[in-house]
């Protein structure tokens, strides 16, 4: 792909820029490699009020970061499309889909983990983990999320890849857009949009499989007998994928996403950011082959970094809000540096502090452990530990005892005091289980179940995978009222799974007159 | 707020010319797509005003509103929703209506419906006197406990609910009338005082004294017909148990004296006249399930 420009010559006609830049092009050319007339359309001096978007034609680059991005794209897309099809046996009363967000039955399944509605704090924990991880990574190496793994970036990259397959690389695309109507143009444009649409439908289609049994839903979708809501969501996600990945692209990152605004608070002078090392690159300017590099910078002003940038900025202007840190400009420049015989890394992951150190003639140093990264790591470890501990120790019974508050207590005709409790037991086992309930803490108190004659032990059977409310009363005889301290005593409800012996308890209190 | 054009030093961008306490706003470019979305929103809202109910207007001497061309009305939507819910509920209401109370009590699913309905009806109709938790207050019985003046079986509760207490509009109402011993000069003040002392011994609140011994004789003559020997009460007649720990009008000496001297005659409406039979049944089941039902 890199050879097209050298045969086609400078792309002055394609980009339609001032002849000044065209001159620069010719000067940059003596090395025999391509020059680019790319404009940093979103750089500060090139934008106006109420600006229309100027289309960006990112050029394909080759290099280690591009390779990493291809691999990450393959993995993330693979995970996204394959996950709903993974099966996981949970027995006859539960779905066998490994990852399933089952809203109608109010369950989230994630391999061996099963989340009930009252356990959404696991999701909260997960979100806290995700955000702290994001903070940590951002303070270490900038917008790694944006540049490599954000769905917006991955899908845009995929859409650009398709565009490139059908319309050619940057220069060919510019030429095609400039050309007048032809069958060739029509065919290429239509097929591009058609393929985009197919990808968009596949994306929206895969989304709904996370919410229902994938094989069943797929069959229903194909026979047009699925729930209309499924089609609606497919339509919505198809539309957003198509619009965001194909049409809006960098505008999503620049105007719609809040993350670029937050990043400023995450970076500091020791963060690794994609940086143009102006201390090495400037003064920049075209360079003739076999002339000296003395007294000038390494940047030959070839514009390749700008041509490669999917965000339409010039990394040589310094850190900018638009930059998603995709590192493609690094690959573009490394290529050039190799060709002109200078060391690679004119654009490289670098820290602002090191730039200052080099300028001051000091040695480069890397501060990975800084107060903020240490705090983020600490929080990360802590939250993960809490999550793992609570996941590992969570049992198959959940118990919650709610004491009646209205009235607080009831005096019976023999002077004894009665409190009412609603015992909520969740049986998380996928089979019916029998439970016994008893109390501890008030020796002379008696536990009875509503509608069951007193004296019988309180037992209940709970269907698989469900919650049951059991209304109970605890009666403290008049003689034992002395055991209340200030009208209150603590009381513990103990629930035992009769067959497995698993017990759980819940602390509550017993109230009486002061 | 003054209008002075100003160019920001840091960004080199013009400001809008407005300033508030030295705070200026940069006049940065708006993306075109944003501007067009904004226009689209305006078009949308105009279309919305035409299609949907929107503006208040003064017409023919009264305030009304533009109805919108498709005639959408949220009131109708709500009415339909309510009708739909009612239709779904009707299945259960028919069953509650057809079955007798003990049969309903055996039916877990039906009981769930009845208790929910009973709780709602209780909150609407009964809570003003009996309290939202049915805990009662002076003169209004606590329905959670096991002390029942007119009986605590499902059937008794149902009858009380249906016909009320001392509710003269209902021929079958629960009715009794305790004599006003002092006011109607049946007993002297001293005698009432003696009976009070005796009554307090029944529940173990007071010791036996000379006065209470005198009172016991009067009690045997005047009160046992209804309150029975030992003051254990009689539910057939609605005579409260005087030997237990629960006092509807207070168990202190002054309150008991007042009850004997002036008598008490609380009233409860006959809900059979006011509520439909299914609701009354649900109420009976709910009250019975509060914990004191027999
Ligand atoms: S930084 Fe590198 S890619 Fe960019 S213009 Fe200079 S030499 Fe070319
Ligand atoms: S400046 Fe470089 S790292 Fe930033 S978005 Fe453009 S190509 Fe990616």
């Amino acid at each position: 792909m890199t050879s097209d420009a050298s045969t086609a010559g400078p792309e002055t006609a394609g980009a339609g820029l001032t002849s000044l830049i065209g001159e620069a092009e010719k000067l940059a050319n003596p090395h025999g490699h391509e020059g680019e007339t790319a404009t940093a359309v979103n750089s500060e001096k090139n934008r106006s009020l109420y600006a229309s978007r100027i289309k960006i034609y990112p050029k394909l680059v080759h290099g280690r970061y591009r390779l990493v991005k291809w691999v990450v794209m393959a993995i993330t897309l693979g995970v996204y499309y394959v996950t709903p099809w993974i099966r996981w046996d949970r027995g006859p009363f539960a779905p066998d889909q490994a990852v399933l967000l089952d809203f109608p039955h109010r369950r989230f399944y994630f391999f061996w983990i099963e989340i009930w509605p009252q356990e959404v704090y696991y999701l909260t924990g997960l979100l806290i983990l995700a955000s702290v991880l994001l903070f940590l990574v951002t303070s270490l190496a900038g917008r790694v999320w944006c540049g490599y793994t954000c769905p917006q970036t991955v899908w845009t990259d995929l859409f650009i890849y398709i565009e490139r397959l059908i319309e050619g690389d940057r220069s060919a695309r510019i030429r095609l857009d400039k050309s007048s109507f032809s069958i060739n143009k029509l065919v290429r444009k239509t097929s591009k949009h058609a393929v985009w649409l197919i990808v968009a439908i596949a994306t929206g289609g895969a989304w709904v499989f996370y919410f229902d049994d994938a094989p069943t839903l797929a069959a229903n979708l194909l026979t047009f007998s699925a729930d209309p809501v499924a089609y609606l969501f497919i339509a919505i996600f198809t539309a957003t994928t198509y619009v965001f990945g194909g049409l809006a692209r960098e505008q999503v990152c620049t105007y719609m996403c809040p993350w670029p605004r937050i990043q400023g608070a995450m970076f500091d002078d020791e963060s690794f950011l994609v940086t143009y090392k102006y201390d090495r690159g400037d003064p920049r300017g075209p360079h003739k082959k076999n002339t000296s590099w003395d007294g000038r910078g390494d940047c030959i002003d070839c514009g390749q970094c700008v041509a490669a940038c999917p965000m339409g900025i010039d990394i040589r202007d310094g850190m900018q809000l638009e930059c998603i840190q995709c590192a493609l400009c690094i690959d573009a420049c490394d290529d050039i540096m190799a060709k002109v015989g200078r060391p690679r890394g004119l654009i490289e992951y670098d820290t602002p502090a090191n730039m200052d150190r080099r300028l001051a003639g000091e040695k480069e140093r890397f501060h990975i452990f800084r107060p903020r990264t240490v705090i983020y790591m600490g929080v990360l470890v802590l939250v993960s530990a809490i999550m793992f501990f609570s996941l590992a120790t969570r049992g198959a019974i959940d118990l919650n005892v709610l004491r009646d508050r209205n009235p607080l207590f009831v005096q019976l005709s023999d002077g004894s005091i009665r409190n009412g409790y609603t015992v909520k037991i969740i049986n998380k086992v996928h089979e019916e289980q029998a439970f016994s309930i008893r109390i501890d803490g008030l020796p002379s108190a008696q536990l009875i179940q509503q509608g069951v004659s007193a004296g019988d032990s309180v037992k209940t059977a709970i269907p698989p995978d469900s919650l049951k409310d059991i209304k109970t009363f605890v009666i403290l005889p008049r003689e034992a009222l002395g055991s209340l301290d200030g009208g209150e005593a603590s009381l513990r409800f103990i629930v035992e799974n009769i067959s497995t012996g698993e017990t759980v308890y819940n602390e509550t209190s017993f109230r009486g007159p002061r | 707020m003054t209008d002075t054009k100003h160019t920001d030093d840091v960004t080199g961008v013009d400001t809008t010319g407005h300033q508030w306490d030295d705070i200026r706003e940069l006049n940065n470019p708006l993306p075109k797509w944003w501007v067009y979305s904004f226009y689209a929103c305006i078009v949308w809202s105009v279309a919305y005003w035409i299609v949907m109910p929107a503006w208040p207007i003064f017409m023919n001497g009264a305030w009304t509103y533009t109805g919108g061309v498709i005639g959408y009305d949220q009131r109708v939507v709500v009415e339909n929703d309510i009708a739909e819910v009612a239709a779904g509920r009707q299945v259960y209401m028919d069953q509650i209506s057809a079955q007798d109370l003990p049969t309903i009590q055996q039916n877990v699913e039906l009981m769930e419906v009845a208790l929910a309905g009973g709780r709602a009806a209780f909150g609407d109709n009964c809570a003003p006197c009996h309290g939202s938790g049915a805990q009662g207050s002076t003169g209004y019985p606590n329905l959670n406990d096991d002390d029942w003046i007119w009986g605590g079986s499902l059937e008794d509760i149902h009858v009380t609910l249906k016909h009320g207490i001392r509710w003269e509009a209902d021929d079958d109402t629960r009715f009794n009338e305790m004599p006003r011993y002092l006011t109607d000069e049946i007993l002297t003040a001293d005698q009432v005082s003696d009976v009070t002392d005796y009554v307090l011994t029944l529940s173990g609140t007071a010791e036996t004294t000379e006065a209470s011994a005198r009172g016991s004789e009067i009690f045997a003559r005047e009160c046992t017909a209804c309150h029975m020997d030992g003051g254990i009460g009689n539910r057939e007649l609605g005579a409260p148990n005087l030997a237990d720990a629960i006092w509807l009008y207070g168990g202190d000496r002054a309150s008991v004296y007042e009850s004997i001297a002036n008598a008490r005659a609380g009233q409860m409406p006959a809900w059979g006249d006011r509520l439909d039979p299914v609701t009354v049944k649900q109420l009976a089941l709910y009250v019975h399930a509060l914990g004191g039902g027999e």
Side-chain angles (χ1 to χ4, degrees):
Chain A
M1 284 291 187
T2 47
S3 65
D4 61 353
S6 53
T7 47
E11 297 168 354
T12 34
L17 294 167
T18 62
S19 60
L20 194 77
I21 298 174
E23 285 304 307
E25 278 295 319
K26 290 192 190 94
L27 285 169
N29 243 354
H31 277 289
H33 54 78
E34 67 278 28
E36 286 292 352
T37 55
T39 318
V41 293
N42 282 338
S43 85
E44 204 164 4
K45 56 182 179 296
N46 295 332
R47 57 192 178 203
S48 60
L49 298 180
Y50 299 100
S52 302
R53 175 197 184 216
I54 298 173
K55 200 168 169 185
I56 299 169
Y57 299 88
K59 183 172 173 172
L60 177 64
V61 297
H62 303 276
R64 41 183 163 167
Y65 294 108
R66 181 63 267 184
L67 184 66
V68 170
K69 274 172 69 75
W70 287 136
V71 172
V72 171
M73 183 202 276
I75 294 172
T76 47
L77 289 178
V79 167
Y80 176 71
Y81 287 112
V82 171
T83 305
W85 298 90
I86 305 172
R87 301 290 102 185
W88 192 269
D89 186 24
R90 294 190 185 86
F93 295 102
D96 66 346
Q97 187 156 320
V99 176
L100 179 65
L101 307 177
D102 191 350
F103 280 99
H105 300 106
R106 301 190 180 87
R107 296 282 184 286
F108 288 176
Y109 299 97
F110 191 80
F111 294 94
W112 65 96
I113 302 171
E114 190 181 324
I115 306 251
W116 286 56
Q118 70 278 11
E119 294 173 322
V120 282
Y121 48 75
Y122 283 116
L123 292 189
T124 313
L126 214 59
L127 290 177
I128 293 174
L129 274 188
S131 44
V132 176
L133 191 65
L134 202 62
F135 299 167
L136 175 63
V137 168
T138 305
S139 65
L140 284 178
R143 294 166 67 183
V144 173
W145 164 258
C146 298
Y148 297 86
T149 44
C150 174
Q152 174 62 25
T153 301
V154 171
W155 262 273
T156 303
D157 225 12
L158 178 65
F159 275 52
I160 293 175
Y161 174 75
I162 293 165
E163 189 170 66
R164 196 177 281 136
L165 280 187
I166 296 172
E167 295 184 356
D169 201 7
R170 177 181 157 82
S171 50
R173 295 208 298 276
I174 295 173
R175 239 179 288 121
L176 186 70
D177 277 1
K178 282 275 164 191
S179 68
S180 50
F181 177 80
S182 69
I183 297 294
N184 175 42
K185 187 170 181 178
L186 182 74
V187 169
R188 283 181 194 273
K189 289 279 172 194
T190 332
S191 41
K192 175 181 82 175
H193 286 282
V195 178
W196 278 0
L197 209 57
I198 292 169
V199 173
I201 293 171
T203 307
W207 181 259
V208 295
F209 292 142
Y210 283 85
F211 299 87
D212 205 345
D213 183 56
T216 322
L217 182 61
N220 289 346
L221 283 172
L222 291 177
T223 55
F224 296 101
S225 53
D227 190 333
V229 175
Y231 292 106
L232 178 72
F233 273 95
I234 292 178
I236 292 173
F237 283 98
T238 301
T240 49
T241 310
Y242 179 78
V243 171
F244 289 174
L247 309 178
R249 291 191 184 169
E250 79 286 349
Q251 301 176 89
V252 174
C253 309
T254 311
Y255 301 115
M256 294 164 71
C257 178
W259 183 232
R261 325 286 141 142
I262 302 169
Q263 62 161 326
M266 308 281 155
F267 298 163
D268 59 20
D269 280 353
E270 301 286 356
S271 304
F272 283 96
L273 306 173
V274 175
T275 310
Y276 166 72
K277 296 179 176 170
Y278 61 85
D279 57 318
R280 178 185 146 192
D282 287 350
R284 64 185 82 146
H287 178 256
K288 278 200 169 50
K289 211 169 182 174
N290 302 325
T291 56
S292 161
W293 290 90
D294 290 341
R296 57 156 293 148
D298 280 349
C299 175
I300 61 165
D301 216 0
C302 64
Q304 292 301 328
C305 51
V306 179
C309 179
M311 303 304 293
I313 54 167
D314 186 341
I315 188 66
R316 296 172 299 171
D317 292 347
M319 186 167 78
Q320 287 149 85
L321 176 128
E322 291 87 347
C323 177
I324 57 169
Q325 306 271 316
C326 65
L328 292 179
C329 50
I330 299 183
D331 281 345
C333 187
D334 279 351
D335 211 25
I336 298 301
M337 289 298 112
K339 281 180 179 146
V340 300
R342 302 296 294 171
R344 67 196 304 167
L346 172 54
I347 303 177
E348 189 51 282
Y349 276 103
D350 193 18
T351 71
N354 271 338
M355 186 92 83
D356 293 342
R357 288 193 192 106
R358 283 195 305 273
L359 286 173
E362 292 170 22
K363 245 175 74 79
E364 295 189 359
R365 273 186 296 140
F366 298 107
H367 281 172
I368 291 177
F369 296 100
R370 314 189 293 276
R372 72 168 66 194
T373 60
V374 171
I375 291 170
Y376 290 149
M377 287 176 202
V379 174
L380 205 61
V381 170
L382 187 74
V383 177
S384 322
I386 293 172
M387 293 261 297
F388 275 116
F389 178 77
S390 75
L391 264 179
T393 56
R394 112 194 158 127
I397 318 173
D398 238 15
L399 171 66
N400 202 357
V401 177
L402 304 174
R403 199 168 61 77
D404 286 359
R405 294 201 150 71
N406 185 16
L408 271 178
F409 60 87
V410 173
Q411 186 188 41
L412 299 182
S413 53
D414 62 0
S416 54
I417 297 295
R418 193 188 74 202
N419 279 202
Y421 300 88
T422 305
V423 180
K424 288 173 179 281
I425 304 176
I426 294 174
N427 170 22
K428 294 183 185 169
V429 181
H430 298 298
E431 278 165 35
E432 181 170 293
Q433 302 285 306
F435 296 93
S436 71
I437 309 172
R438 57 180 196 273
I439 49 170
D440 191 22
L442 280 174
S444 45
Q446 191 196 3
L447 174 75
I448 52 176
Q449 184 180 350
Q450 185 184 56
V452 175
S453 45
D456 292 359
S457 64
V458 181
K459 284 203 183 76
T460 185
I462 303 180
D465 212 21
S466 47
L467 161 85
K468 192 169 177 180
D469 287 2
I470 299 129
K471 177 81 193 187
T472 62
F473 298 109
V474 173
I475 297 174
L476 189 65
R478 184 181 214 161
E479 313 80 68
L481 288 184
S483 53
L484 297 183
D485 176 19
E488 193 173 351
S490 58
L491 182 68
R492 171 182 285 195
F493 272 77
I494 303 167
V495 168
E496 180 175 349
N497 181 325
I498 294 170
S499 52
T500 66
E502 182 185 351
T503 47
V504 289
Y505 64 86
N506 201 293
E507 301 287 355
T508 178
S509 65
F510 186 95
R511 296 276 185 120
R514 282 174 185 279
Chain B
M1 192 172 111
T2 51
D3 263 1
T4 36
K5 266 274 180 248
H6 181 267
T7 304
D8 182 59
D9 296 336
V10 181
T11 58
V13 175
D14 285 345
T15 65
T16 54
H18 307 151
Q19 85 158 60
W20 298 266
D21 296 342
D22 259 1
I23 298 170
R24 295 188 179 83
E25 190 182 9
L26 292 181
N27 203 3
N28 270 319
L30 270 172
K32 278 266 173 65
W33 65 264
W34 194 98
V35 180
Y36 292 138
S37 309
F38 179 59
Y39 294 155
C41 290
I42 294 173
V43 172
W44 170 271
S45 52
V46 172
Y48 190 94
W49 297 337
I50 297 168
V51 174
M52 302 290 277
W55 289 98
I57 45 170
F58 195 74
M59 218 168 61
N60 303 331
W63 280 102
T64 172
Y65 58 93
T66 57
V69 292
I70 61 166
Y72 176 85
D73 188 344
Q74 288 195 332
R75 195 181 299 266
V76 175
V77 174
V78 171
E79 274 164 10
N80 289 342
D81 285 354
I82 292 174
E84 201 177 301
V85 171
R89 208 180 270 166
Q90 197 52 43
V91 183
Y92 296 105
M93 295 303 123
D94 289 346
Q95 288 184 49
I96 292 176
S97 168
Q99 298 177 14
D100 60 8
L101 292 167
T103 319
I104 299 171
Q105 220 174 16
Q106 298 310 314
N107 184 332
V108 177
E109 195 189 2
L110 217 48
M111 256 320 255
E112 214 169 285
V113 176
L115 290 185
R119 183 181 305 119
F122 190 91
D124 288 348
N125 301 291
C126 317
C129 293
H130 290 284
S132 57
Q135 71 274 34
S137 63
T138 307
Y140 303 102
N142 182 343
L143 306 176
N144 293 281
D145 62 29
D146 57 348
D147 189 25
W148 300 94
I149 299 171
W150 295 95
S153 72
L154 254 184
E155 195 44 44
D156 287 338
I157 295 171
H158 190 217
V159 169
T160 307
L161 270 161
K162 222 157 113 182
H163 300 293
I165 294 167
R166 300 186 189 91
W167 195 253
E168 279 161 16
D170 189 304
D171 290 339
D172 297 323
T173 195
R174 305 260 197 207
F175 192 86
N176 65 17
E177 199 171 18
M178 176 169 153
R180 299 182 295 177
Y181 282 98
L182 186 64
T183 317
D184 292 345
E185 295 176 359
I186 303 167
L187 297 176
T188 65
D190 288 343
Q191 286 174 314
V192 171
S193 173
D194 289 347
V195 176
T196 303
D197 284 335
Y198 175 68
V199 167
L200 288 173
T201 65
L202 292 172
S203 53
T205 337
E207 299 292 317
T208 308
T209 58
E210 245 172 69
S212 76
R214 285 197 300 275
S216 113
E217 279 163 30
I218 304 165
F219 188 88
R221 193 174 70 234
E222 296 287 342
C223 314
T224 47
C226 295
H227 288 288
M228 315 297 282
D229 277 340
I232 57 163
N234 184 344
R235 289 173 174 186
E236 298 285 300
L237 304 169
N241 184 342
L242 306 176
D244 65 15
I246 295 170
W247 296 92
L248 182 52
Y249 290 93
D252 58 298
R253 197 177 185 285
S255 302
V256 174
Y257 181 92
E258 172 62 20
S259 296
I260 300 168
N262 238 335
R264 312 270 190 180
Q267 272 188 316
M268 171 169 133
W271 292 101
D273 300 345
R274 301 184 174 196
L275 302 174
D276 62 284
V278 177
T279 307
V280 176
K281 269 178 141 174
Q282 293 183 85
L283 274 172
L285 289 161
Y286 174 71
V287 170
H288 187 264
L290 284 172
E294 290 164 357

